[in-house]
Amino acid sequence: QVQLVESGGGLVQAGGSLRLSCAASGRTFSSYAMGWFRQAPGKEREFVAAISWSGGSAYNTNSLKGRFTISRDNAKNTVYLQMNSLKPEDTAVYYCAAGLRPSTYKREYDYWGQGTQVTVSS
């Protein structure tokens, strides 16, 4: 069982940066691949980034490459999402998730956090 708690969201101006954190409980955090997804109002939840259990492999959705970076610190049971050059269209609730392997598909993840709101003003 893994419990996930996101933090670091907030209101930021376009062009600014935020770093989201996702703290996991449980001693098996390092066994799980982790992913970040986001959901804007009225839209489907979409894949943002994923990282393998070791941190050796990371994946980003093509449209966000170069602006968003996923990383993890297994010693701290935490995964991060660094978001730079933010745009109003990045406004969404951001969720972290844990699964057996990194994937772009929501169904591959077994555990989800409650989400953190990111709002980017123009």
Side-chain angles (χ1 to χ4, degrees):
Q1 188 81 5
V2 177
Q3 292 184 326
L4 305 172
V5 179
E6 301 95 336
S7 62
L11 175 64
V12 63
Q13 288 188 331
S17 297
L18 282 175
R19 188 176 79 156
L20 305 183
S21 299
C22 174
S25 64
R27 294 177 293 176
T28 59
F29 172 75
S30 60
S31 300
Y32 287 91
M34 299 297 296
W36 284 98
F37 289 76
R38 68 183 183 183
Q39 188 167 17
K43 295 188 177 181
E44 294 286 324
R45 192 173 298 188
E46 64 175 0
F47 171 75
V48 173
I51 191 166
S52 62
W53 66 269
S54 67
S57 298
Y59 310 87
N60 283 79
T61 190
N62 286 336
S63 62
L64 299 176
K65 280 183 179 178
R67 295 198 299 123
F68 287 19
T69 304
I70 189 171
S71 61
R72 67 188 296 163
D73 185 339
N74 286 343
K76 295 182 178 180
N77 280 12
T78 302
V79 63
Y80 304 98
L81 184 68
Q82 178 67 43
M83 306 186 295
N84 299 326
S85 302
L86 284 161
K87 304 175 181 180
E89 52 263 43
D90 294 319
T91 294
V93 177
Y94 284 72
Y95 299 88
C96 68
L100 294 181
R101 57 179 176 269
S103 175
T104 62
Y105 297 104
K106 297 186 293 290
R107 63 177 180 264
E108 296 286 347
Y109 293 89
D110 301 309
Y111 304 102
W112 291 82
Q114 83 291 347
T116 185
Q117 175 71 46
V118 172
T119 303
V120 184
S121 64
S122 57

Short mmCIF file of all heavy atoms in Angstrom, two decimals, residues 18-86:
data_model
loop_
_atom_site.label_atom_id
_atom_site.label_comp_id
_atom_site.label_asym_id
_atom_site.label_seq_id
_atom_site.Cartn_x
_atom_site.Cartn_y
_atom_site.Cartn_z
N LEU A 18 7.33 26.46 -11.02
CA LEU A 18 6.89 25.81 -9.80
C LEU A 18 7.54 24.44 -9.74
O LEU A 18 7.82 23.83 -10.78
CB LEU A 18 5.37 25.62 -9.79
CG LEU A 18 4.47 26.80 -9.46
CD1 LEU A 18 3.01 26.40 -9.62
CD2 LEU A 18 4.72 27.31 -8.05
N ARG A 19 7.76 23.96 -8.52
CA ARG A 19 8.19 22.58 -8.34
C ARG A 19 7.17 21.86 -7.48
O ARG A 19 6.95 22.22 -6.32
CB ARG A 19 9.57 22.48 -7.69
CG ARG A 19 10.09 21.05 -7.70
CD ARG A 19 11.48 20.91 -7.14
NE ARG A 19 11.53 20.92 -5.70
CZ ARG A 19 12.51 20.39 -4.98
NH1 ARG A 19 13.52 19.78 -5.60
NH2 ARG A 19 12.49 20.47 -3.66
N LEU A 20 6.57 20.87 -8.07
CA LEU A 20 5.62 20.04 -7.33
C LEU A 20 6.36 18.89 -6.67
O LEU A 20 7.32 18.36 -7.22
CB LEU A 20 4.55 19.48 -8.27
CG LEU A 20 3.76 20.49 -9.10
CD1 LEU A 20 2.68 19.77 -9.91
CD2 LEU A 20 3.16 21.57 -8.23
N SER A 21 5.88 18.52 -5.50
CA SER A 21 6.42 17.38 -4.78
C SER A 21 5.31 16.38 -4.52
O SER A 21 4.14 16.75 -4.37
CB SER A 21 7.02 17.81 -3.44
OG SER A 21 8.08 18.72 -3.62
N CYS A 22 5.68 15.13 -4.46
CA CYS A 22 4.74 14.07 -4.13
C CYS A 22 5.43 13.17 -3.12
O CYS A 22 6.39 12.46 -3.46
CB CYS A 22 4.35 13.29 -5.37
SG CYS A 22 3.32 11.84 -5.05
N ALA A 23 4.96 13.23 -1.89
CA ALA A 23 5.54 12.44 -0.82
C ALA A 23 4.78 11.14 -0.67
O ALA A 23 3.54 11.13 -0.62
CB ALA A 23 5.51 13.22 0.49
N ALA A 24 5.52 10.05 -0.59
CA ALA A 24 4.90 8.73 -0.50
C ALA A 24 5.16 8.11 0.86
O ALA A 24 6.23 8.27 1.44
CB ALA A 24 5.45 7.82 -1.58
N SER A 25 4.16 7.44 1.36
CA SER A 25 4.33 6.68 2.60
C SER A 25 4.59 5.22 2.24
O SER A 25 4.26 4.78 1.14
CB SER A 25 3.08 6.79 3.47
OG SER A 25 1.98 6.18 2.81
N GLY A 26 5.15 4.50 3.17
CA GLY A 26 5.41 3.09 2.90
C GLY A 26 6.85 2.85 2.53
O GLY A 26 7.50 3.68 1.91
N ARG A 27 7.35 1.69 2.90
CA ARG A 27 8.75 1.38 2.68
C ARG A 27 9.04 0.90 1.27
O ARG A 27 10.18 0.68 0.92
CB ARG A 27 9.19 0.31 3.68
CG ARG A 27 9.18 0.80 5.12
CD ARG A 27 9.56 -0.34 6.07
NE ARG A 27 8.54 -1.37 6.07
CZ ARG A 27 8.66 -2.51 6.74
NH1 ARG A 27 9.77 -2.77 7.40
NH2 ARG A 27 7.69 -3.40 6.71
N THR A 28 7.99 0.72 0.45
CA THR A 28 8.19 0.15 -0.87
C THR A 28 8.20 1.19 -1.97
O THR A 28 8.12 0.86 -3.14
CB THR A 28 7.08 -0.87 -1.18
OG1 THR A 28 5.80 -0.22 -1.09
CG2 THR A 28 7.15 -2.03 -0.21
N PHE A 29 8.33 2.46 -1.61
CA PHE A 29 8.29 3.53 -2.61
C PHE A 29 9.29 3.28 -3.73
O PHE A 29 8.99 3.45 -4.90
CB PHE A 29 8.58 4.87 -1.94
CG PHE A 29 8.76 6.01 -2.92
CD1 PHE A 29 7.66 6.56 -3.56
CD2 PHE A 29 10.01 6.51 -3.19
CE1 PHE A 29 7.80 7.60 -4.46
CE2 PHE A 29 10.18 7.56 -4.09
CZ PHE A 29 9.07 8.11 -4.71
N SER A 30 10.50 2.84 -3.37
CA SER A 30 11.54 2.68 -4.38
C SER A 30 11.26 1.53 -5.33
O SER A 30 11.96 1.36 -6.32
CB SER A 30 12.90 2.48 -3.70
OG SER A 30 12.86 1.33 -2.88
N SER A 31 10.23 0.74 -5.06
CA SER A 31 9.86 -0.35 -5.95
C SER A 31 8.92 0.10 -7.06
O SER A 31 8.68 -0.65 -8.01
CB SER A 31 9.16 -1.46 -5.16
OG SER A 31 10.00 -1.98 -4.17
N TYR A 32 8.38 1.30 -6.94
CA TYR A 32 7.35 1.76 -7.86
C TYR A 32 7.89 2.77 -8.86
O TYR A 32 8.68 3.64 -8.51
CB TYR A 32 6.20 2.41 -7.09
CG TYR A 32 5.32 1.42 -6.35
CD1 TYR A 32 5.60 1.08 -5.03
CD2 TYR A 32 4.23 0.85 -6.97
CE1 TYR A 32 4.81 0.17 -4.36
CE2 TYR A 32 3.43 -0.06 -6.30
CZ TYR A 32 3.71 -0.39 -5.00
OH TYR A 32 2.93 -1.28 -4.33
N ALA A 33 7.40 2.63 -10.08
CA ALA A 33 7.53 3.73 -11.03
C ALA A 33 6.51 4.81 -10.63
O ALA A 33 5.48 4.51 -10.02
CB ALA A 33 7.23 3.23 -12.44
N MET A 34 6.82 6.03 -10.97
CA MET A 34 5.96 7.15 -10.59
C MET A 34 5.59 7.96 -11.82
O MET A 34 6.38 8.08 -12.77
CB MET A 34 6.67 8.05 -9.59
CG MET A 34 7.04 7.37 -8.28
SD MET A 34 5.62 6.80 -7.35
CE MET A 34 4.83 8.36 -6.97
N GLY A 35 4.40 8.51 -11.79
CA GLY A 35 3.96 9.34 -12.90
C GLY A 35 3.28 10.59 -12.41
O GLY A 35 2.81 10.66 -11.27
N TRP A 36 3.29 11.58 -13.27
CA TRP A 36 2.51 12.80 -13.05
C TRP A 36 1.49 12.93 -14.17
O TRP A 36 1.81 12.72 -15.35
CB TRP A 36 3.40 14.05 -13.05
CG TRP A 36 4.21 14.26 -11.81
CD1 TRP A 36 5.51 13.93 -11.61
CD2 TRP A 36 3.76 14.87 -10.60
NE1 TRP A 36 5.91 14.30 -10.34
CE2 TRP A 36 4.84 14.87 -9.71
CE3 TRP A 36 2.55 15.43 -10.17
CZ2 TRP A 36 4.77 15.40 -8.41
CZ3 TRP A 36 2.46 15.95 -8.89
CH2 TRP A 36 3.56 15.93 -8.03
N PHE A 37 0.27 13.26 -13.79
CA PHE A 37 -0.81 13.53 -14.72
C PHE A 37 -1.43 14.87 -14.36
O PHE A 37 -1.21 15.38 -13.25
CB PHE A 37 -1.89 12.43 -14.64
CG PHE A 37 -1.46 11.11 -15.19
CD1 PHE A 37 -0.61 10.28 -14.47
CD2 PHE A 37 -1.91 10.67 -16.42
CE1 PHE A 37 -0.20 9.05 -14.98
CE2 PHE A 37 -1.53 9.44 -16.94
CZ PHE A 37 -0.67 8.64 -16.22
N ARG A 38 -2.21 15.42 -15.27
CA ARG A 38 -2.91 16.65 -14.96
C ARG A 38 -4.30 16.62 -15.59
O ARG A 38 -4.53 15.94 -16.59
CB ARG A 38 -2.14 17.88 -15.44
CG ARG A 38 -2.04 18.02 -16.96
CD ARG A 38 -1.18 19.22 -17.31
NE ARG A 38 -1.13 19.44 -18.76
CZ ARG A 38 -0.41 20.39 -19.33
NH1 ARG A 38 0.33 21.22 -18.60
NH2 ARG A 38 -0.43 20.54 -20.64
N GLN A 39 -5.20 17.38 -14.97
CA GLN A 39 -6.57 17.45 -15.47
C GLN A 39 -7.06 18.89 -15.39
O GLN A 39 -7.18 19.44 -14.29
CB GLN A 39 -7.49 16.53 -14.67
CG GLN A 39 -8.89 16.42 -15.24
CD GLN A 39 -9.66 15.27 -14.63
OE1 GLN A 39 -9.31 14.73 -13.58
NE2 GLN A 39 -10.73 14.85 -15.30
N ALA A 40 -7.32 19.44 -16.54
CA ALA A 40 -7.89 20.78 -16.63
C ALA A 40 -9.41 20.68 -16.59
O ALA A 40 -9.98 19.63 -16.91
CB ALA A 40 -7.44 21.45 -17.92
N PRO A 41 -10.09 21.76 -16.20
CA PRO A 41 -11.56 21.72 -16.11
C PRO A 41 -12.19 21.29 -17.43
O PRO A 41 -11.84 21.82 -18.49
CB PRO A 41 -11.92 23.16 -15.77
CG PRO A 41 -10.72 23.69 -15.08
CD PRO A 41 -9.54 23.04 -15.74
N GLY A 42 -13.07 20.33 -17.36
CA GLY A 42 -13.78 19.88 -18.54
C GLY A 42 -12.98 18.99 -19.47
O GLY A 42 -13.47 18.65 -20.57
N LYS A 43 -11.78 18.61 -19.06
CA LYS A 43 -10.93 17.79 -19.92
C LYS A 43 -10.57 16.48 -19.24
O LYS A 43 -10.70 16.33 -18.03
CB LYS A 43 -9.66 18.56 -20.30
CG LYS A 43 -9.92 19.78 -21.17
CD LYS A 43 -8.62 20.37 -21.67
CE LYS A 43 -8.87 21.55 -22.60
NZ LYS A 43 -7.60 22.11 -23.12
N GLU A 44 -10.09 15.54 -20.06
CA GLU A 44 -9.64 14.26 -19.53
C GLU A 44 -8.32 14.45 -18.80
O GLU A 44 -7.54 15.36 -19.09
CB GLU A 44 -9.44 13.28 -20.69
CG GLU A 44 -10.71 12.88 -21.42
CD GLU A 44 -11.55 11.94 -20.59
OE1 GLU A 44 -10.98 11.10 -19.88
OE2 GLU A 44 -12.79 12.04 -20.65
N ARG A 45 -8.07 13.54 -17.85
CA ARG A 45 -6.78 13.53 -17.18
C ARG A 45 -5.73 13.06 -18.19
O ARG A 45 -5.91 12.02 -18.83
CB ARG A 45 -6.82 12.62 -15.96
CG ARG A 45 -5.64 12.74 -15.04
CD ARG A 45 -5.82 11.95 -13.77
NE ARG A 45 -6.96 12.42 -13.00
CZ ARG A 45 -7.26 12.00 -11.77
NH1 ARG A 45 -6.47 11.13 -11.17
NH2 ARG A 45 -8.32 12.46 -11.15
N GLU A 46 -4.64 13.81 -18.29
CA GLU A 46 -3.65 13.50 -19.30
C GLU A 46 -2.27 13.27 -18.69
O GLU A 46 -1.93 13.85 -17.65
CB GLU A 46 -3.56 14.63 -20.34
CG GLU A 46 -3.09 15.95 -19.80
CD GLU A 46 -2.91 17.00 -20.89
OE1 GLU A 46 -3.14 16.70 -22.08
OE2 GLU A 46 -2.52 18.13 -20.55
N PHE A 47 -1.49 12.47 -19.38
CA PHE A 47 -0.15 12.14 -18.94
C PHE A 47 0.77 13.35 -19.07
O PHE A 47 0.72 14.09 -20.06
CB PHE A 47 0.38 11.00 -19.80
CG PHE A 47 1.85 10.69 -19.61
CD1 PHE A 47 2.27 10.02 -18.48
CD2 PHE A 47 2.78 11.09 -20.54
CE1 PHE A 47 3.62 9.73 -18.29
CE2 PHE A 47 4.13 10.80 -20.38
CZ PHE A 47 4.55 10.12 -19.24
N VAL A 48 1.64 13.51 -18.07
CA VAL A 48 2.63 14.58 -18.10
C VAL A 48 4.04 13.99 -18.17
O VAL A 48 4.81 14.31 -19.07
CB VAL A 48 2.50 15.49 -16.87
CG1 VAL A 48 3.64 16.50 -16.81
CG2 VAL A 48 1.15 16.20 -16.87
N ALA A 49 4.38 13.13 -17.21
CA ALA A 49 5.73 12.58 -17.14
C ALA A 49 5.73 11.33 -16.28
O ALA A 49 4.83 11.14 -15.45
CB ALA A 49 6.70 13.61 -16.57
N ALA A 50 6.74 10.49 -16.47
CA ALA A 50 6.88 9.29 -15.66
C ALA A 50 8.36 9.00 -15.46
O ALA A 50 9.21 9.44 -16.26
CB ALA A 50 6.19 8.10 -16.32
N ILE A 51 8.65 8.24 -14.40
CA ILE A 51 10.03 7.92 -14.09
C ILE A 51 10.08 6.50 -13.53
O ILE A 51 9.18 6.06 -12.82
CB ILE A 51 10.61 8.95 -13.09
CG1 ILE A 51 12.12 8.81 -12.96
CG2 ILE A 51 9.91 8.89 -11.74
CD1 ILE A 51 12.77 10.01 -12.27
N SER A 52 11.14 5.78 -13.87
CA SER A 52 11.29 4.41 -13.41
C SER A 52 11.61 4.37 -11.93
O SER A 52 11.92 5.39 -11.30
CB SER A 52 12.40 3.72 -14.20
OG SER A 52 13.63 4.39 -13.98
N TRP A 53 11.57 3.16 -11.36
CA TRP A 53 11.77 3.04 -9.92
C TRP A 53 13.14 3.55 -9.50
O TRP A 53 13.31 4.11 -8.43
CB TRP A 53 11.58 1.58 -9.47
CG TRP A 53 12.64 0.66 -10.02
CD1 TRP A 53 12.60 -0.04 -11.18
CD2 TRP A 53 13.90 0.36 -9.41
NE1 TRP A 53 13.75 -0.75 -11.35
CE2 TRP A 53 14.57 -0.54 -10.29
CE3 TRP A 53 14.52 0.75 -8.23
CZ2 TRP A 53 15.82 -1.05 -10.00
CZ3 TRP A 53 15.79 0.25 -7.95
CH2 TRP A 53 16.41 -0.63 -8.82
N SER A 54 14.13 3.38 -10.35
CA SER A 54 15.50 3.79 -10.01
C SER A 54 15.77 5.24 -10.35
O SER A 54 16.77 5.81 -9.91
CB SER A 54 16.50 2.91 -10.76
OG SER A 54 16.40 3.16 -12.15
N GLY A 55 14.90 5.82 -11.15
CA GLY A 55 15.17 7.17 -11.65
C GLY A 55 16.03 7.17 -12.90
O GLY A 55 16.34 8.23 -13.44
N GLY A 56 16.40 5.99 -13.37
CA GLY A 56 17.30 5.91 -14.51
C GLY A 56 16.64 6.21 -15.84
O GLY A 56 17.32 6.55 -16.82
N SER A 57 15.34 6.08 -15.88
CA SER A 57 14.61 6.37 -17.12
C SER A 57 13.47 7.33 -16.82
O SER A 57 12.73 7.13 -15.86
CB SER A 57 14.04 5.08 -17.71
OG SER A 57 15.08 4.18 -18.05
N ALA A 58 13.34 8.34 -17.64
CA ALA A 58 12.28 9.33 -17.46
C ALA A 58 11.62 9.59 -18.80
O ALA A 58 12.27 9.50 -19.86
CB ALA A 58 12.83 10.62 -16.88
N TYR A 59 10.35 9.87 -18.76
CA TYR A 59 9.56 10.06 -19.97
C TYR A 59 8.70 11.30 -19.81
O TYR A 59 8.16 11.56 -18.74
CB TYR A 59 8.65 8.84 -20.19
CG TYR A 59 9.38 7.54 -20.12
CD1 TYR A 59 9.56 6.89 -18.89
CD2 TYR A 59 9.92 6.94 -21.25
CE1 TYR A 59 10.26 5.70 -18.80
CE2 TYR A 59 10.61 5.74 -21.18
CZ TYR A 59 10.78 5.13 -19.94
OH TYR A 59 11.47 3.95 -19.85
N ASN A 60 8.60 12.07 -20.87
CA ASN A 60 7.74 13.26 -20.88
C ASN A 60 6.83 13.20 -22.09
O ASN A 60 7.21 12.68 -23.14
CB ASN A 60 8.59 14.52 -21.00
CG ASN A 60 9.25 14.89 -19.71
OD1 ASN A 60 10.26 14.31 -19.36
ND2 ASN A 60 8.71 15.85 -19.00
N THR A 61 5.65 13.77 -21.94
CA THR A 61 4.83 13.96 -23.11
C THR A 61 5.52 14.96 -24.02
O THR A 61 6.16 15.92 -23.54
CB THR A 61 3.41 14.42 -22.70
OG1 THR A 61 2.57 14.38 -23.84
CG2 THR A 61 3.44 15.83 -22.16
N ASN A 62 5.46 14.73 -25.31
CA ASN A 62 6.26 15.53 -26.25
C ASN A 62 6.02 17.03 -26.13
O ASN A 62 6.96 17.83 -26.24
CB ASN A 62 5.98 15.07 -27.68
CG ASN A 62 6.62 13.73 -27.98
OD1 ASN A 62 7.58 13.34 -27.34
ND2 ASN A 62 6.08 13.02 -28.95
N SER A 63 4.78 17.40 -25.90
CA SER A 63 4.44 18.82 -25.90
C SER A 63 5.05 19.57 -24.72
O SER A 63 5.12 20.80 -24.73
CB SER A 63 2.93 18.99 -25.89
OG SER A 63 2.37 18.43 -24.71
N LEU A 64 5.51 18.83 -23.70
CA LEU A 64 6.04 19.47 -22.50
C LEU A 64 7.55 19.31 -22.36
O LEU A 64 8.15 19.83 -21.41
CB LEU A 64 5.35 18.92 -21.26
CG LEU A 64 3.85 19.15 -21.19
CD1 LEU A 64 3.26 18.46 -19.96
CD2 LEU A 64 3.53 20.63 -21.17
N LYS A 65 8.15 18.58 -23.28
CA LYS A 65 9.59 18.39 -23.20
C LYS A 65 10.31 19.73 -23.24
O LYS A 65 9.96 20.62 -23.99
CB LYS A 65 10.07 17.51 -24.36
CG LYS A 65 9.86 16.05 -24.13
CD LYS A 65 10.42 15.22 -25.28
CE LYS A 65 10.20 13.74 -25.01
NZ LYS A 65 10.69 12.91 -26.14
N GLY A 66 11.33 19.83 -22.40
CA GLY A 66 12.08 21.07 -22.32
C GLY A 66 11.55 22.04 -21.30
O GLY A 66 12.27 22.95 -20.89
N ARG A 67 10.32 21.85 -20.86
CA ARG A 67 9.76 22.74 -19.83
C ARG A 67 9.52 22.00 -18.52
O ARG A 67 9.70 22.58 -17.45
CB ARG A 67 8.44 23.36 -20.31
CG ARG A 67 8.58 24.30 -21.49
CD ARG A 67 7.35 25.19 -21.63
NE ARG A 67 6.13 24.45 -21.85
CZ ARG A 67 5.03 24.53 -21.07
NH1 ARG A 67 5.05 25.30 -20.00
NH2 ARG A 67 3.95 23.84 -21.36
N PHE A 68 9.10 20.76 -18.58
CA PHE A 68 8.78 19.99 -17.38
C PHE A 68 9.81 18.86 -17.22
O PHE A 68 10.14 18.17 -18.18
CB PHE A 68 7.39 19.37 -17.49
CG PHE A 68 6.25 20.35 -17.36
CD1 PHE A 68 6.42 21.70 -17.53
CD2 PHE A 68 4.98 19.88 -17.05
CE1 PHE A 68 5.37 22.59 -17.41
CE2 PHE A 68 3.91 20.75 -16.93
CZ PHE A 68 4.09 22.11 -17.11
N THR A 69 10.25 18.66 -15.98
CA THR A 69 11.23 17.62 -15.68
C THR A 69 10.80 16.85 -14.45
O THR A 69 10.53 17.45 -13.40
CB THR A 69 12.62 18.22 -15.45
OG1 THR A 69 13.02 18.99 -16.59
CG2 THR A 69 13.64 17.11 -15.20
N ILE A 70 10.76 15.53 -14.58
CA ILE A 70 10.44 14.68 -13.45
C ILE A 70 11.72 14.14 -12.85
O ILE A 70 12.69 13.85 -13.56
CB ILE A 70 9.50 13.52 -13.88
CG1 ILE A 70 8.99 12.75 -12.67
CG2 ILE A 70 10.18 12.61 -14.90
CD1 ILE A 70 7.90 11.73 -13.02
N SER A 71 11.73 14.00 -11.53
CA SER A 71 12.88 13.41 -10.83
C SER A 71 12.36 12.77 -9.55
O SER A 71 11.21 12.97 -9.17
CB SER A 71 13.94 14.46 -10.52
OG SER A 71 13.43 15.47 -9.67
N ARG A 72 13.22 12.01 -8.90
CA ARG A 72 12.80 11.37 -7.65
C ARG A 72 13.99 11.24 -6.72
O ARG A 72 15.14 11.18 -7.17
CB ARG A 72 12.18 10.00 -7.91
CG ARG A 72 13.12 8.94 -8.44
CD ARG A 72 12.35 7.68 -8.86
NE ARG A 72 11.69 7.04 -7.72
CZ ARG A 72 10.71 6.14 -7.85
NH1 ARG A 72 10.27 5.80 -9.06
NH2 ARG A 72 10.18 5.57 -6.77
N ASP A 73 13.68 11.18 -5.44
CA ASP A 73 14.67 10.95 -4.41
C ASP A 73 14.14 9.81 -3.54
O ASP A 73 13.27 10.02 -2.68
CB ASP A 73 14.88 12.23 -3.59
CG ASP A 73 15.99 12.09 -2.56
OD1 ASP A 73 16.34 10.94 -2.20
OD2 ASP A 73 16.51 13.12 -2.11
N ASN A 74 14.64 8.62 -3.77
CA ASN A 74 14.11 7.46 -3.05
C ASN A 74 14.44 7.51 -1.56
O ASN A 74 13.72 6.94 -0.75
CB ASN A 74 14.63 6.17 -3.67
CG ASN A 74 13.95 5.87 -5.00
OD1 ASN A 74 12.90 6.42 -5.32
ND2 ASN A 74 14.56 4.99 -5.78
N ALA A 75 15.51 8.19 -1.21
CA ALA A 75 15.85 8.33 0.21
C ALA A 75 14.81 9.17 0.94
O ALA A 75 14.62 9.02 2.15
CB ALA A 75 17.23 8.94 0.37
N LYS A 76 14.15 10.05 0.21
CA LYS A 76 13.13 10.92 0.80
C LYS A 76 11.72 10.48 0.44
O LYS A 76 10.75 11.16 0.79
CB LYS A 76 13.34 12.37 0.34
CG LYS A 76 14.64 12.97 0.83
CD LYS A 76 14.76 14.42 0.40
CE LYS A 76 16.05 15.05 0.93
NZ LYS A 76 16.20 16.47 0.51
N ASN A 77 11.59 9.36 -0.28
CA ASN A 77 10.27 8.87 -0.69
C ASN A 77 9.48 9.97 -1.42
O ASN A 77 8.27 10.14 -1.17
CB ASN A 77 9.46 8.36 0.52
CG ASN A 77 9.86 6.96 0.92
OD1 ASN A 77 10.87 6.43 0.48
ND2 ASN A 77 9.09 6.36 1.81
N THR A 78 10.15 10.68 -2.28
CA THR A 78 9.51 11.83 -2.93
C THR A 78 9.83 11.85 -4.42
O THR A 78 10.95 11.57 -4.83
CB THR A 78 9.98 13.15 -2.27
OG1 THR A 78 9.67 13.11 -0.88
CG2 THR A 78 9.29 14.34 -2.90
N VAL A 79 8.82 12.22 -5.19
CA VAL A 79 9.00 12.47 -6.62
C VAL A 79 8.65 13.93 -6.88
O VAL A 79 7.79 14.50 -6.20
CB VAL A 79 8.15 11.51 -7.47
CG1 VAL A 79 6.65 11.70 -7.22
CG2 VAL A 79 8.47 11.65 -8.94
N TYR A 80 9.35 14.51 -7.83
CA TYR A 80 9.20 15.95 -8.11
C TYR A 80 8.79 16.17 -9.56
O TYR A 80 9.08 15.37 -10.44
CB TYR A 80 10.51 16.67 -7.85
CG TYR A 80 11.07 16.48 -6.47
CD1 TYR A 80 12.06 15.53 -6.23
CD2 TYR A 80 10.62 17.24 -5.39
CE1 TYR A 80 12.57 15.34 -4.96
CE2 TYR A 80 11.13 17.05 -4.12
CZ TYR A 80 12.11 16.10 -3.91
OH TYR A 80 12.61 15.92 -2.65
N LEU A 81 8.17 17.31 -9.78
CA LEU A 81 7.92 17.78 -11.14
C LEU A 81 8.33 19.24 -11.18
O LEU A 81 7.64 20.10 -10.60
CB LEU A 81 6.46 17.61 -11.53
CG LEU A 81 6.15 17.99 -12.98
CD1 LEU A 81 6.81 17.00 -13.95
CD2 LEU A 81 4.64 18.05 -13.23
N GLN A 82 9.44 19.51 -11.84
CA GLN A 82 9.89 20.89 -12.04
C GLN A 82 9.22 21.43 -13.29
O GLN A 82 9.35 20.84 -14.37
CB GLN A 82 11.41 20.92 -12.18
CG GLN A 82 11.97 22.32 -12.43
CD GLN A 82 11.79 23.23 -11.23
OE1 GLN A 82 12.00 22.83 -10.10
NE2 GLN A 82 11.38 24.48 -11.49
N MET A 83 8.53 22.54 -13.15
CA MET A 83 7.79 23.13 -14.26
C MET A 83 8.32 24.54 -14.51
O MET A 83 8.24 25.40 -13.62
CB MET A 83 6.29 23.17 -13.95
CG MET A 83 5.71 21.81 -13.56
SD MET A 83 3.93 21.83 -13.36
CE MET A 83 3.77 22.93 -11.96
N ASN A 84 8.84 24.77 -15.68
CA ASN A 84 9.41 26.06 -16.06
C ASN A 84 8.63 26.67 -17.22
O ASN A 84 7.90 25.97 -17.92
CB ASN A 84 10.87 25.90 -16.44
CG ASN A 84 11.73 25.38 -15.31
OD1 ASN A 84 11.50 25.68 -14.14
ND2 ASN A 84 12.73 24.59 -15.66
N SER A 85 8.81 27.96 -17.39
CA SER A 85 8.17 28.68 -18.51
C SER A 85 6.68 28.34 -18.58
O SER A 85 6.15 28.01 -19.65
CB SER A 85 8.85 28.33 -19.83
OG SER A 85 10.23 28.64 -19.79
N LEU A 86 6.03 28.46 -17.45
CA LEU A 86 4.63 28.06 -17.38
C LEU A 86 3.74 28.94 -18.23
O LEU A 86 3.99 30.15 -18.40
CB LEU A 86 4.15 28.07 -15.93
CG LEU A 86 4.64 26.88 -15.11
CD1 LEU A 86 4.55 27.15 -13.62
CD2 LEU A 86 3.84 25.64 -15.47
#
